[in-house]
Amino acid sequence: MKIFIDSAEIDEIKQTYEWGVTDGITTNPSLLKRAVDRRVAGGEKIDIRKYLETILKTAKGTPVSLEVTERKAGKMIEQGQRLYDMFNRVAKNVYIKIPVNPSFSEDEDIHFDGVEAIRALTRKGIPVNCTLIFTPEQALLAAKAGAKFLSPFAGRVDDNLRKKMNIDFDKSEYYPEGGMARNDAVVDDNGIVSGIDLVRKCVQIVTHYGLESEVLAASLRNPRQVREAALAGAHIGTLPFAVIKNMLKHEKTYEGMKSFTRDIVQEYADLK
Ligand code: E4P
């Protein structure tokens, strides 16, 4: 599974590329706002164009997703094209992120504007990452429209299921892949029992029909969920910096390091 960093913080991005563990970057409007607000609060003046250019260069040719902020098909297409023209020349690695359905509610019927924008941008040769996927059928339509990446939001599925059960939770807490039961029945959202269940079903559809899209497991919140996304066959997982850092931690690794260090044969360590 390829690992993307889910961040708009340049220092975090640089660090993971220095470690050599990242294969791409995803941003979204909230991540960008957080990064910009933090710098502005620290007294920095931000030139957003230069800031994004630095992110694109840091990615060393690997994909960077930039999300549109418009919601109507025509406007999304225009903005997607504009962002692509403005930034793809920097390092040839821009993917435009389009929501699978930009409606704010069932009543606001712009349900297919995202799919329309995906189709139009794809036809222009602009690669699209389709975001905010919560059902396998949304993923199927996005794939048919030509999206290169399909982003199911695993963590937010788990948040939603826990809310249904009135469970107090911390977002980074593990939620079982097989779901949780209440009154002898596994709690689900239209047949989806966990975020990883959603990822697995998206992968199954893509694989079954030999679709060209890659499943990008998004909204991953802890290392065990990353493992399960990989085992479910996700092509890509996008991880916050904190999750990447937590992936190497294990008490037995620390213990082993202490004993190996204690047992060093000095002549061996000094070999030149
Ligand atoms: C990435 O593409 C998504 O925007 C991101 O993973 C969402 O994560 P969150 O649900 O933790 O905000």
Side-chain angles (χ1 to χ4, degrees):
M1 183 172 79
K2 281 172 270 186
I3 292 183
F4 286 9
I5 177 163
D6 198 18
S7 175
E9 289 282 359
I10 287 171
D11 297 341
E12 295 180 351
I13 293 170
K14 278 191 179 150
Q15 177 66 82
T16 61
Y17 275 87
E18 271 162 28
W19 287 335
V21 297
T22 19
D23 308 294
I25 302 167
T26 49
T27 63
N28 64 34
S30 310
L31 289 171
L32 192 58
K33 178 173 166 32
R34 208 181 306 153
V36 168
D37 284 354
R38 198 182 61 76
R39 283 173 181 259
V40 170
E44 261 182 71
K45 247 187 116 192
I46 293 271
D47 176 334
I48 197 72
R49 189 191 281 238
K50 287 207 179 107
Y51 190 82
L52 289 172
E53 285 179 358
T54 308
I55 290 182
L56 291 163
K57 284 180 199 151
T58 308
K60 303 179 199 308
T62 63
V64 179
S65 297
L66 302 179
E67 189 156 343
V68 294
T69 52
E70 297 287 351
R71 299 194 302 122
K72 297 271 173 70
K75 292 275 186 197
M76 277 195 274
I77 297 163
E78 234 175 80
Q79 190 186 20
Q81 176 83 63
R82 198 166 59 244
L83 287 170
Y84 189 77
D85 292 345
M86 199 179 288
F87 291 112
N88 195 54
R89 56 178 177 74
V90 177
K92 306 246 169 304
N93 55 349
V94 170
Y95 279 58
I96 297 298
K97 225 172 160 190
I98 303 280
V100 70
N101 175 352
S103 306
F104 282 161
S105 72
E106 186 130 4
D107 299 335
E108 191 192 23
D109 196 3
I110 49 170
H111 293 82
F112 276 82
D113 281 45
V115 170
E116 205 181 314
I118 294 168
R119 168 59 103 216
L121 292 170
T122 300
R123 286 208 165 138
K124 290 166 183 277
I126 298 176
V128 172
N129 173 357
C130 178
T131 190
L132 283 170
I133 290 178
F134 286 89
T135 70
E137 49 276 21
Q138 286 180 328
L140 177 59
L141 289 189
K144 288 182 78 72
K148 289 266 182 267
F149 297 155
L150 308 171
S151 292
F153 272 39
R156 293 194 194 189
V157 169
D158 298 342
D159 298 345
N160 191 28
L161 292 168
R162 280 186 277 227
K163 270 186 200 145
K164 279 190 181 206
M165 289 180 268
N166 291 319
I167 296 176
D168 277 337
F169 64 96
D170 178 301
K171 281 186 177 183
S172 64
E173 270 166 43
Y174 174 71
Y175 188 85
E177 169 177 10
M180 286 174 78
R182 283 291 177 274
N183 306 321
D184 292 334
V186 175
V187 177
D188 71 298
D189 174 34
N190 193 22
I192 298 298
V193 301
S194 70
I196 294 300
D197 183 35
L198 171 63
V199 170
R200 174 169 286 110
K201 285 175 172 147
C202 291
V203 170
Q204 273 170 0
I205 290 175
V206 164
T207 310
H208 187 74
Y209 292 103
L211 303 174
E212 280 175 21
S213 316
E214 292 187 284
V215 175
L216 189 165
S219 183
L220 295 177
R221 307 270 174 74
N222 56 68
R224 186 165 170 186
Q225 199 182 29
V226 175
R227 175 203 313 168
E228 289 173 353
L231 290 169
H235 305 88
I236 305 160
T238 191
L239 324 182
F241 188 54
V243 174
I244 296 177
K245 284 198 293 184
N246 284 337
M247 283 168 76
L248 285 183
K249 295 179 182 171
H250 196 279
E251 58 189 327
K252 295 299 284 181
T253 305
Y254 306 144
E255 190 185 298
M257 274 312 297
K258 281 187 204 153
S259 63
F260 288 158
T261 305
R262 197 179 48 233
D263 292 344
I264 286 172
V265 172
Q266 204 50 48
E267 281 167 288
Y268 170 80
D270 292 343
L271 281 175
K272 292 248 164 39

